[in-house]
């Protein structure tokens, strides 16, 4: 076969994590690695078992016991490591498990952590409130753009945790700036890279130590599997791996298989999601009922320049803010309150499913409580915010559905 010098990432993703057929070795390999289910793996004799355990203790990835993963999980790990340009990857039963493990891996009592104001809700609600406080780890939230970070660093700051674009309204973080600060203070930088699903953006190349991905979203891509991953640099690997192992995290081979299968088509799915989202976002921007549309691809989006510099594309998530004056007027005219107005809009949609998560093939809608999700930024005086995941439906059908929902709100006065 002809040598291709530098195939693009989209091309390489079709082959990652798969053995290569050779004339001497594996002469024929399946296109999709098979599902290897095992708890017990049997050894030939005592000497072999000791040898395998020794290699495992030295950090080598070997087949030894189901909890350390079988060939199916190993194939997915290799693919994610290559996609993100990491050293090694650890899989988790959910995105949240990967996040929680990172906090436990790099923090100890007395430490301090800086957390982006834009983080995924359960980081604030569950990890900060239920785990960090009990471990006597203190935390402060920072502006996602990092502008206030130097004033909030403490002698005991051990970790910076960012998510870019953020959850809900997609605030952008300047990871180059955050990693400069992290490196000069010897602090670990952990980044939730779920929006880009490890494909559109590579935090490790920008100086981060760990890139976390909820594979539940676009990697799996079909809303039917929970999965998390931590792609690590060489320096962060041992801490992440040991902590994950101690907590007993393991992913079923069936789920790893589904994720690896999903990964192959993720680049083309993301492009289709983004094309639909861009069309819907521009349409929403022209609606008089809408005050602001949040989507990093839009030149009007705050931090659009960072997205343009550091990302190779966008996903299908967009959010809109209903004009507060308009919303209050309609809510008053209909005597239904702001919540009633939002309920009416959501319940009028038929192509947008109502439910958590995103990254599957269908469009979804979810009202966002931004005021309760931020503590640095003040969202208390904004209009109602709705998040849409734009699926693979024809965009014209989605626009018709949204137009119907807007009409259901009526026009006061
Ligand atoms: C969904 C999500 C997670 C959590 O992933 P789960 O697999 O649902 O636990 C973490 N971070 C972000 C940004 C997410 O959107």
């Amino acid at each position: 076969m002809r040598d291709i010098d530098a195939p693009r990432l989209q091309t390489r993703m079709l082959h990652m994590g798969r053995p290569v057929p050779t004339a001497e070795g594996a002469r024929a390999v399946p296109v999709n690695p098979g599902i290897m289910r095992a708890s017990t793996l049997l050894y030939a004799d005592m000497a072999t078992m000791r040898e395998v355990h020794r290699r495992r203790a030295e950090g080598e990835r070997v087949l030894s016991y189901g909890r350390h993963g079988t060939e199916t999980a190993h194939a997915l790990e290799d693919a994610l490591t290559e996609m993100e340009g990491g050293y090694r990857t650890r899989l988790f039963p959910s995105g949240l498990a990967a996040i929680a493990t990172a906090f436990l891996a790099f923090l100890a009592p007395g430490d301090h952590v800086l957390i982006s104001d834009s983080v995924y809700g359960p980081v604030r609600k569950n990890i900060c409130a239920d785990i960090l406080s009990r471990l006597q780890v203190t935390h402060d939230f920072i502006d996602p753009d990092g502008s206030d970070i130097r004033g909030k660093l403490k002698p005991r700051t051990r970790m910076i945790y960012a998510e870019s674009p953020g959850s809900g309204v997609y605030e952008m973080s300047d990871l180059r700036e955050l990693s400069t600060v992290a490196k000069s203070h010897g602090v670990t930088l952990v980044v939730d890279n779920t929006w880009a699903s490890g494909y559109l953006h590579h935090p490790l190349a920008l100086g981060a130590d760990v890139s976390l991905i909820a594979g539940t979203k676009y990697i799996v891509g079909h809303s039917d599997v929970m999965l998390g991953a931590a792609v690590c640099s060489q320096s962060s690997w041992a801490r992440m791996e040991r902590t994950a192992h101690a907590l007993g995290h393991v992913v079923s081979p069936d789920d790893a298989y589904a994720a690896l299968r999903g990964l192959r088509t993720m680049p083309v799915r993301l492009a289709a999601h983004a094309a639909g989202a861009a069309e819907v976002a521009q349409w929403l921007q022209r609606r008089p009922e809408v005050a602001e549309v949040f989507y990093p691809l839009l030149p009007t989006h705050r931090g659009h320049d960072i997205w343009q510099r550091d990302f190779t594309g966008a996903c299908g998530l967009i959010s809109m803010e209903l004009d507060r004056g308009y919303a209050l007027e309609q809510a008053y005219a209909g005597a239904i309150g702001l919540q009633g107005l939002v309920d009416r809009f959501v319940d009028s949609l038929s192509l947008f499913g109502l439910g958590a998560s995103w990254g599957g093939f269908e469009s979804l809608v979810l009202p966002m409580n931004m005021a309760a999700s931020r503590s640095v930024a003040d969202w208390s005086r904004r209009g109602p915010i709705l998040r849409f995941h734009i699926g693979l439906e024809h965009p014209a059908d989605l626009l018709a559905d949204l137009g119907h929902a807007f009409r259901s709100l009526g026009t006061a006065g």
Side-chain angles (χ1 to χ4, degrees):
M1 271 201 294
R2 188 172 66 88
D3 262 2
I4 300 171
D5 283 344
R8 287 158 181 79
L9 184 55
Q10 176 181 337
T11 304
R12 286 191 285 123
M13 279 178 58
L14 301 178
H15 317 295
M16 288 172 178
R18 189 175 76 185
V20 178
T22 59
E24 309 80 38
R27 286 159 175 275
V29 300
V31 165
N32 287 312
I35 297 172
M36 185 196 253
R37 288 201 191 90
S39 54
T40 300
L41 290 142
L42 301 173
Y43 301 91
D45 50 34
M46 283 299 293
T48 310
M49 186 169 80
R50 262 196 299 274
E51 163 75 1
V52 169
H53 288 181
R54 183 188 60 75
R55 285 164 55 188
R56 190 179 74 193
E58 285 170 0
E60 193 179 326
R61 194 184 61 192
V62 285
L63 274 180
S64 61
Y65 178 50
R67 209 173 51 223
H68 295 273
T70 66
E71 282 173 5
T72 319
H74 295 172
L76 177 61
E77 288 169 9
D78 288 345
L80 297 179
T81 300
E82 188 177 343
M83 174 172 70
E84 280 263 35
Y87 171 70
R88 292 268 296 265
T89 296
R90 186 58 157 86
L91 300 179
F92 292 87
S94 71
L96 187 57
I99 298 171
T101 302
F103 277 88
L104 293 172
F106 300 108
L107 296 166
D111 287 349
H112 174 252
V113 54
L114 289 173
I115 303 174
S116 169
D117 200 33
S118 64
V119 287
Y120 178 62
V123 174
R124 182 185 295 269
K125 275 201 305 278
N126 306 114
I127 294 179
C128 290
D130 298 337
I131 296 184
L132 296 189
S133 57
R134 203 147 32 78
L135 289 179
Q136 290 162 349
V137 170
T138 55
H139 67 275
D140 281 298
F141 285 98
I142 54 170
D143 192 308
D145 72 9
S147 55
D148 55 353
I149 192 169
R150 288 173 200 274
K152 288 180 174 174
L153 269 170
K154 294 183 175 173
R156 288 300 300 268
T157 305
R158 302 309 316 149
M159 175 167 142
I160 298 171
Y161 183 85
E163 177 185 323
S164 181
S167 284
V169 290
Y170 325 115
E171 301 96 324
M172 302 301 302
S173 297
D174 188 341
L175 290 192
R176 294 165 198 264
E177 176 62 20
L178 291 186
S179 72
T180 302
V181 173
K183 283 194 168 45
S184 66
H185 288 79
V187 171
T188 301
L189 175 60
V190 178
V191 178
D192 185 329
N193 196 27
T194 298
W195 188 92
S197 287
Y199 176 68
L200 305 167
H201 178 228
H202 304 296
L204 300 183
L206 301 175
D209 300 287
V210 181
S211 175
L212 302 172
I213 314 169
T216 308
K217 310 288 169 53
Y218 286 112
I219 292 178
V220 165
H222 295 73
S223 307
D224 49 6
V225 171
M226 303 293 302
L227 189 105
V231 186
C232 300
S233 64
Q234 187 164 6
S235 59
S236 66
W237 168 250
R239 289 282 282 276
M240 239 356 241
E241 159 60 16
R242 272 190 227 136
T243 309
H245 178 59
L247 292 170
H249 285 306
V250 65
V251 162
S252 95
D254 301 71
D255 291 349
Y257 171 85
L260 191 57
R261 191 186 225 255
L263 195 69
R264 306 300 181 197
T265 56
M266 185 169 74
V268 291
R269 284 188 284 109
L270 276 172
H273 285 289
E279 192 169 336
V280 173
Q282 283 158 13
W283 183 86
L284 288 173
Q285 280 190 308
R286 295 193 296 270
R287 297 289 311 194
E289 304 92 335
V290 175
E292 189 167 350
V293 178
F294 305 91
Y295 189 45
L297 186 116
L298 296 173
T300 49
H301 189 85
R302 194 172 156 218
H304 170 74
D305 50 331
I306 296 174
W307 173 80
Q308 222 168 12
R309 185 190 67 190
D310 293 342
F311 289 68
T312 58
C315 75
L317 278 180
I318 57 178
S319 297
M320 72 166 183
E321 177 192 9
L322 285 176
D323 182 83
R324 185 172 165 87
Y326 163 83
L328 285 169
E329 213 176 309
Q330 299 306 323
Y332 180 78
I336 51 175
L338 275 182
Q339 187 61 59
L341 192 80
V342 169
D343 291 1
R344 180 176 289 179
F345 186 92
V346 169
D347 292 341
S348 300
L349 292 165
S350 55
L351 289 178
F352 289 80
L354 175 58
S357 206
W358 40 273
F361 46 85
E362 287 183 304
S363 286
L364 299 172
V365 59
L366 203 64
M368 296 273 113
N369 184 352
M370 292 312 299
S373 313
R374 300 291 184 266
S375 48
V376 176
D378 179 10
W379 285 82
S380 61
R381 280 178 289 278
R382 304 286 296 252
I385 307 233
L386 286 133
R387 183 187 76 188
F388 302 103
H389 173 252
I390 303 304
L392 301 176
E393 301 87 352
H394 195 292
D397 294 328
L398 297 178
L399 297 184
D401 201 26
L402 288 165
H404 170 76
F406 276 118
R407 281 193 298 281
S408 80
L409 300 182
T411 44

